[in-house]
Amino acid sequence: MVFAIKAGLLIDGNGGEPIENATILIEGKTITAVGRAERVEIPGGAEIVDASDKTVMPGLIDSHVHIMTNSASLEQRLFTPKAVSYFQAADNLKRTLRAGFTTIRDGGEADAGLRQSLEMGLISGPRLVVSGCIGQTGGLLEKRYPSGSQIVNEDSWRICDGVEDVRKTVRKVLREGVDFVKIFATGGVVAPQGSPFISEWTPSELAVIVEEASRCGAGVMAHAESNVGIKNALCAGVTSIEHGYVLDQEAIDLFLGKGVFLVPTLHISKVLSERRDTAGLSEVSKRKKERLVQEQEGCFRRACQAGVKVALGTDAFIADMHGTNAVELSLMMEEGGLSAMEAIVAGTRNAAECCLLGDQVGTLEAGKLADILLVDGDPLADIKVLQDPKRITVYKEGSVVIR
Ligand SMILES: [Zn+2]
């Protein structure tokens, strides 16, 4: 089936000037032509979708979510049976799609089976990119407490040390059909031990992770919150740095030299700061968060000004964050000084490339999959129109999925 969308304003995701009165031709799942209305001939018999009073843009992409997770509280997670997590994920996926997000990359818990369920049409949601986590002894992934107690989950919290053990564990993760290996190059706020200011893995362990992942065509997403760990991960050649809160000039220069994406996850940072006492964080975590907030001041803005490539990622892992992913666009503008167009590029083309899907989605160009939003309003004039699902019609692969 061929159809044409007549766009009042077209934002193609590449960051150039928007086009007034444009036409997009779609055949089956794929865009076949895009351009000024007078330059795109609509074949006879094609259905016409009139969006001449709307903005038409690529489906948004969140390159860091936890679609299976609904709370920062470890206790709440431990009391949630796996089956419940999957049904919650199905609901979160639906809300995320309704918010105009047609692709997401999960930072750890979602597996290839959830991705397959979406592809089979058993559930509806964005295209899902999945990752498998590995961590080191004493690192963020290990749930060991000062009492000496430890929570072990060998399916999703795999701990390994030393080059050969790490190599074997990466291979086990990849065997499960994930698209990315998720690692932790520094500690974090939520873990009982470690710190965002302590680096994890040795450079040779990091190198073997990247070597094994790339051999299988998989990417590496590296949680890294401060300088040393960020630099180690960048030198090892990871695909993206998640969080990257505390950055010095040397780290920024490395980002630029390597062309690696920074996924700033400003939304979770804001939520955890604002809901200090209700988000389910332990006292230890709250103290870590406080120091981080002080030290990260101004870092994201300096990175943006220097021209570091930014990809939208919210780190949504609290129930009400799923489906409010577009808040990240406003935060990138407020905290990084990005223009509305730059924020949109971060949430479309850049995020697609960051998910290793740049050849398939992220821009409105001939040959790409027809993941398209019709937006009631102009996001370049007011980015917040994208936070209102009622204003958005969502096409995924050429079909209307949310009207
Ligand atoms: Zn995360």
Side-chain angles (χ1 to χ4, degrees):
M1 191 192 88
V2 181
F3 71 102
I5 299 174
K6 289 189 161 179
L9 188 71
L10 178 97
I11 298 171
D12 70 3
N14 279 312
E17 280 295 304
I19 303 174
E20 281 179 39
N21 297 319
T23 299
I24 307 175
L25 276 189
I26 295 133
E27 202 175 326
K29 295 178 172 185
T30 311
I31 297 169
T32 53
V34 188
R36 294 187 188 285
E38 62 273 19
R39 296 210 190 136
V40 178
E41 199 186 327
I42 301 175
E47 186 200 323
I48 292 176
V49 175
D50 182 11
S52 53
D53 57 347
K54 291 184 164 48
T55 302
V56 178
M57 59 179 282
L60 288 161
I61 298 172
D62 190 329
S63 38
H64 191 139
V65 301
H66 296 268
I67 208 72
M68 303 275 289
T69 307
N70 271 7
S71 171
S73 153
L74 183 65
E75 189 185 15
Q76 202 162 324
R77 292 191 197 185
L78 292 172
F79 276 98
T80 306
K82 204 81 206 216
V84 173
S85 297
Y86 281 107
F87 283 107
Q88 278 175 344
D91 186 48
N92 294 340
L93 285 163
K94 213 182 290 171
R95 280 154 54 193
T96 306
L97 183 64
R98 199 174 292 143
F101 283 76
T102 48
T103 300
I104 54 171
R105 183 176 63 166
D106 193 273
E109 299 78 5
D111 57 21
L114 190 66
R115 185 185 64 201
Q116 189 178 333
S117 305
L118 281 158
E119 287 164 359
M120 291 168 75
L122 297 175
I123 49 175
S124 74
R127 179 177 299 97
L128 177 64
V129 176
V130 297
S131 60
C133 292
I134 65 166
Q136 63 153 64
T137 296
L140 188 153
L141 199 59
E142 200 185 42
K143 307 284 182 283
R144 189 177 173 88
Y145 292 80
S147 61
S149 300
Q150 185 165 344
I151 302 160
V152 178
N153 179 340
E154 276 162 11
D155 288 338
S156 48
W157 301 335
R158 300 175 192 84
I159 305 301
C160 51
D161 301 281
V163 168
E164 289 315 312
D165 189 19
V166 170
R167 187 189 299 282
K168 188 164 184 182
T169 309
V170 173
R171 287 176 178 176
K172 283 182 182 169
V173 167
L174 292 166
R175 178 171 73 183
E176 285 156 23
V178 296
D179 309 295
F180 273 79
V181 178
K182 167 84 183 284
I183 59 164
F184 305 88
T186 68
V189 166
V190 181
Q193 76 289 310
S195 144
F197 296 95
I198 296 176
S199 65
E200 300 189 6
W201 304 115
T202 62
S204 48
E205 287 169 327
L206 288 167
V208 81
I209 293 166
V210 173
E211 182 194 337
E212 288 297 322
S214 358
R215 207 168 46 75
C216 295
V220 176
M221 56 190 291
H223 164 113
E225 299 195 23
S226 69
N227 285 305
V228 180
I230 292 170
K231 292 173 199 172
N232 287 346
L234 287 170
C235 289
V238 301
T239 316
S240 59
I241 296 288
E242 312 301 308
H243 317 302
Y245 294 137
V246 182
L247 294 166
D248 61 17
Q249 191 56 46
E250 193 187 1
I252 289 173
D253 291 342
L254 263 176
F255 265 107
L256 296 171
K258 298 272 183 183
V260 168
F261 288 101
L262 169 62
V263 181
T265 64
L266 306 169
H267 195 185
I268 188 65
S269 193
K270 186 166 193 265
V271 166
L272 291 183
S273 300
E274 284 177 358
R275 302 187 205 165
R276 241 182 128 257
D277 298 311
T278 54
L281 291 183
S282 67
E283 284 307 314
V284 175
S285 295
K286 283 184 206 168
R287 281 198 293 277
K288 287 195 260 187
K289 181 72 196 159
E290 242 157 55
R291 179 172 165 209
L292 198 58
V293 167
Q294 283 166 8
E295 300 219 14
Q296 77 188 77
E297 177 71 33
C299 290
F300 179 57
R301 185 172 287 264
R302 281 197 296 278
C304 291
Q305 280 164 351
V308 170
K309 290 197 293 182
V310 176
L312 184 152
T314 56
D315 206 6
F317 63 71
I318 294 176
D320 63 1
M321 287 179 74
H322 300 293
T324 62
N325 315 60
V327 170
E328 188 77 14
L329 293 162
S330 311
L331 293 174
M332 288 191 286
M333 291 173 66
E334 284 163 29
E335 295 182 28
L338 296 186
S339 67
M341 185 60 98
E342 288 168 332
I344 288 172
V345 171
T348 54
R349 188 193 63 193
N350 285 6
E353 290 176 4
C354 179
C355 294
L356 302 180
L357 292 174
D359 57 337
Q360 296 173 46
V361 293
T363 59
L364 301 182
E365 289 175 288
K368 295 265 176 100
L369 290 168
D371 287 2
I372 301 172
L373 308 184
L374 313 187
V375 183
D376 186 6
D378 177 4
L380 297 174
D382 178 10
I383 197 76
K384 292 195 169 142
V385 297
L386 292 171
Q387 291 175 26
D388 181 0
K390 288 195 290 296
R391 289 169 171 264
I392 303 174
T393 301
V394 184
Y395 284 79
K396 188 175 156 218
E397 297 188 1
S399 302
V400 182
V401 285
I402 304 286
R403 203 186 291 274

